[in-house]
Amino acid sequence: MAHGPRGPSSGSFTPVLLENPGAGLFAGYTPLPGAYDELFGRDGAPRPEFLRTATLLGALAPNEFARAQHLAELALLNQGVTFSVYADQRGAEKIFPLCLIPRMLSAADWAHMERGLEQRVRALGLFLDDVYGDQRILKEERVPRDLVLGSGQYLKQVHGLRPPGGVRIHIAGVDIIRDPAGTFRVLEDNLRTPSGVSYVLENRLISKRVLPHLLDKARVQRVDHYPARLAETLRSVSPASPSGTSAVVLTPGPYNSAYFEHSFLARTMGLELVQAPDLFVDQDQVFVRTTRGPRRVHVIYRRIDEAFLDPEAFRPDSLLGVRGLMRAYAAGNVALANAPGNGVADDKAVYPFVPEMIRYYLGEEPVLEQVPTYLCMRDDDRRYVLDHLDQLVVKAVDEAGGYGMLMGPQSTAAQRDEFRARIQATPRRYIAQHRIELSTSPTWDPTAKTAVPRRLDLRPYVLTGRDGSWVLPGGLTRVALVAGSYVVNSSQGGGSKDTWVLKGPGENAQRTPSVGAPGAGPAAVNNDPPGAAPGSDPPEAP
């Protein structure tokens, strides 16, 4: 039986409900053995918390869903929702594929994750304050001094500098996976220039346009207020009053892989998108050139890698940065988001010590688990890794996007030999982990025209301003579209899904900001695109 109008002419799509839902979208769907399926339990039935939504989705006939998926892809194309892959010699922009079947999270799971993310970002912020300050955690040998100060991401130039507003991690994108037991585990912390949130917002717009009735009935938390929250966060750390603050988004330019996102965020926040030649520094103050003359800038959301941010302080050959910017920052006249130097906290070799940071600075046990990790710089760990390369996932600490990685169980002997040599030559540069069987979710297969299980991860976004943190209810779900793949990165065949965080009983309003103000000092001290062009967003592109 059909309900309501449908068709591309209306710009939306209303599902045709079947008399027999078993013949619909999920007919014949079989979860992947050994993996946690996000939507279906081991008995093959939808998980109770998602029963309503799964029934609505499952009632779609495959041919109707195929048409909805086609409409979504047309919308992506028409709206130019793209990214670039620098490793692709053609240099062409690509559509970021979207699977219209959403990934769902229950209100209870989200509340747990939200607590863990706020806790983690708070501890990482205190770690950065400490490392660029008294270095107590290093003096007390809770984290190895050589590991931290030997990190390529540690910036001596910012030691002793206190960022305006007292916040270093204004925007965090923490990558989270789910293991076969259903446990959320942090995979990595992205604290420099995390990308991808524009796709979260675009995916939701397309879902609303193509499946409006389904989205309404599912009681999904909204995400469209992220730009307003981000603008509020930026203004909160301004050295000027919020009402008198001038903020801009600094981009390397249209050849950057994440330029779509830079322009999207500037536009939706109502801020100017600028490049280095648009800015200049005079008497340790930053100004933007306008048709009405220079205008003071108080906050910069910078999407340029810090090595290229200021040729006076870092790489002298940088054409992307603003000379004197770090002097203005040191004088407290401009806030930079995220703060330069954050990379030392999301170094993959520092990651194993984050639980210890949480205990040290907060006197709490970590809410979120992470993945046990071998540090190849340690003799015992390195021997184990070299003896078990065929069982481990090896990662270079300074690579991202699925590059610089060995998937041991799927590798050839030649690949293992190559990585063995690399590890022996520069052990500090590598870590290793046992492969976690990633959770799966029903994903549209356009060839078979049916839903199939595909592995995925999640990148939630945490904003932190002067008054505390706020977590966007949802995040970027990346999905491995290729059968059998564990790599979800867009540059290697990955796509995305809209992430639906369901409202709890009686929940209609959004949560207000929570947690204590960052930068307030330790409490009870016991005391988360490869091949990127120089200068921007390389480690955290989606």
Side-chain angles (χ1 to χ4, degrees):
M1 50 186 176
H3 298 258
R6 55 188 163 85
S9 59
S10 66
S12 66
F13 175 88
T14 302
V16 176
L17 300 181
L18 301 179
E19 294 289 354
N20 177 12
L25 181 60
F26 301 128
Y29 180 77
T30 305
L32 200 66
Y36 181 94
D37 194 276
E38 299 284 345
L39 189 56
F40 289 92
R42 294 183 189 281
D43 59 359
R47 297 187 181 280
E49 59 270 38
F50 305 132
L51 178 60
R52 175 183 173 83
T53 314
T55 301
L56 289 165
L57 272 169
L60 290 169
N63 63 329
E64 294 292 336
F65 185 84
R67 200 154 60 85
Q69 180 69 38
H70 177 64
L71 285 175
E73 291 165 4
L74 276 179
L76 286 170
L77 186 65
N78 293 335
Q79 293 171 208
V81 183
T82 60
F83 70 102
S84 299
V85 179
Y86 296 123
D88 187 332
Q89 298 302 314
R90 295 169 298 178
E93 290 194 344
K94 300 174 183 293
I95 298 297
F96 193 15
L98 165 66
C99 169
L100 206 51
I101 303 175
R103 183 255 185 87
M104 283 179 276
L105 289 164
S106 69
D109 277 349
W110 181 252
H112 172 78
M113 194 184 302
E114 193 177 34
R115 283 197 306 275
L117 289 167
E118 290 170 343
Q119 179 195 58
R120 192 173 180 95
V121 170
R122 198 158 27 118
L124 286 164
L126 292 170
F127 171 72
L128 286 166
D129 283 344
D130 190 15
V131 165
Y132 290 113
D134 294 339
Q135 300 186 342
R136 289 184 301 104
I137 199 169
L138 307 184
K139 291 172 183 170
E140 296 179 27
E141 300 181 349
R142 306 289 284 266
V143 179
R145 170 181 291 272
D146 292 347
L147 179 75
V148 174
L149 302 187
S151 169
Q153 302 301 325
Y154 174 73
L155 295 186
K156 289 186 294 186
Q157 295 92 330
V158 301
H159 189 94
L161 297 186
R162 186 72 177 165
V167 179
R168 295 182 188 273
I169 309 171
H170 309 82
I171 306 107
V174 181
D175 290 346
I176 292 181
I177 60 173
R178 206 170 203 183
D179 69 16
T183 302
F184 291 114
R185 292 182 180 274
V186 174
L187 193 59
E188 66 181 51
D189 303 288
N190 298 302
L191 310 178
R192 285 169 273 179
T193 52
S195 294
V197 74
S198 59
Y199 303 108
V200 176
L201 307 185
E202 288 287 358
N203 288 350
R204 178 60 54 85
L205 281 175
I206 291 171
S207 295
K208 278 184 177 177
R209 182 179 304 174
V210 179
L211 299 171
H213 304 283
L214 199 152
L215 195 68
D216 287 345
K217 291 177 180 175
R219 301 187 72 246
V220 178
Q221 294 207 44
R222 56 185 286 218
V223 297
D224 59 344
H225 50 335
Y226 179 87
R229 289 279 191 167
L230 177 57
E232 182 183 325
T233 297
L234 296 177
R235 290 194 176 93
S236 79
V237 296
S238 171
S241 67
S243 60
T245 288
S246 170
V248 298
V249 178
L250 176 60
T251 175
Y255 295 107
N256 181 260
S257 67
Y259 183 72
F260 166 79
E261 176 153 302
H262 304 168
S263 57
F264 176 93
L265 290 175
R267 175 169 48 83
T268 53
M269 284 194 289
L271 303 183
E272 284 183 71
L273 182 66
V274 301
Q275 298 184 45
D278 299 320
L279 300 178
F280 69 93
V281 176
D282 183 37
Q283 298 184 39
D284 295 344
Q285 295 181 342
V286 183
F287 295 86
V288 59
R289 296 180 171 89
T290 77
T291 55
R292 296 183 178 180
R295 190 184 73 237
R296 176 84 185 275
V297 172
H298 306 95
V299 181
I300 298 176
Y301 181 22
R302 56 102 180 175
R303 297 299 296 258
I304 295 178
D305 185 80
E306 55 213 13
F308 296 85
L309 197 57
D310 179 355
E312 183 179 290
F314 305 116
R315 287 186 56 155
D317 60 340
S318 172
L319 300 177
L320 303 174
V322 181
R323 186 170 295 280
L325 185 58
M326 290 304 294
R327 276 190 283 108
Y329 175 71
N333 290 331
V334 66
L336 299 176
N338 279 328
N342 281 8
V344 69
D346 69 12
D347 184 317
K348 291 184 178 66
V350 174
Y351 157 90
F353 297 94
V354 176
E356 182 61 17
M357 294 176 199
I358 293 170
R359 297 184 188 100
Y360 182 76
Y361 294 114
L362 306 180
E364 302 171 1
E365 282 301 308
V367 173
L368 294 174
E369 302 285 342
Q370 53 183 50
V371 179
T373 302
Y374 299 97
L375 292 176
C376 293
M377 65 182 289
R378 289 176 165 171
D379 293 341
D380 289 347
D381 284 11
R382 184 170 63 256
R383 279 193 289 271
Y384 181 86
V385 170
L386 293 175
D387 289 343
H388 298 83
L389 281 175
D390 60 336
Q391 302 169 27
L392 298 169
V393 179
V394 181
K395 300 176 182 177
V397 300
D398 52 358
E399 296 269 10
Y403 291 87
M405 185 169 76
L406 175 76
M407 293 291 291
Q410 297 169 311
S411 65
T412 65
Q415 289 170 330
R416 292 193 291 276
D417 288 344
E418 178 190 343
F419 266 78
R420 182 174 287 105
R422 290 188 190 185
I423 293 169
Q424 289 171 328
T426 53
R428 168 63 176 81
R429 191 164 175 252
Y430 292 94
I431 64 165
Q433 299 165 334
H434 284 284
R435 190 179 69 184
I436 303 290
E437 185 62 67
L438 304 182
S439 64
T440 60
S441 179
T443 300
W444 180 248
D445 183 332
T447 303
K449 295 195 182 308
T450 189
V452 294
R454 291 287 185 266
R455 299 180 176 92
L456 44 73
D457 75 356
L458 177 67
R459 177 176 292 180
Y461 296 86
V462 186
L463 299 181
T464 301
R466 196 187 292 266
D467 298 324
S469 293
W470 173 77
V471 186
L472 176 69
L476 180 64
T477 288
R478 300 181 300 181
V479 57
L481 297 176
V482 179
S485 176
Y486 286 78
V487 182
V488 298
N489 303 84
S490 54
S491 55
Q492 299 196 43
S496 67
K497 286 175 171 287
D498 192 5
T499 308
W500 291 9
V501 174
L502 304 190
K503 294 177 182 175
E507 184 180 6
N508 286 312
Q510 297 295 317
R511 280 193 56 193
T512 53
S514 54
V515 303
V525 176
N526 135 358
N527 19 89
D528 108 54
S536 59
D537 297 332
E540 300 89 10

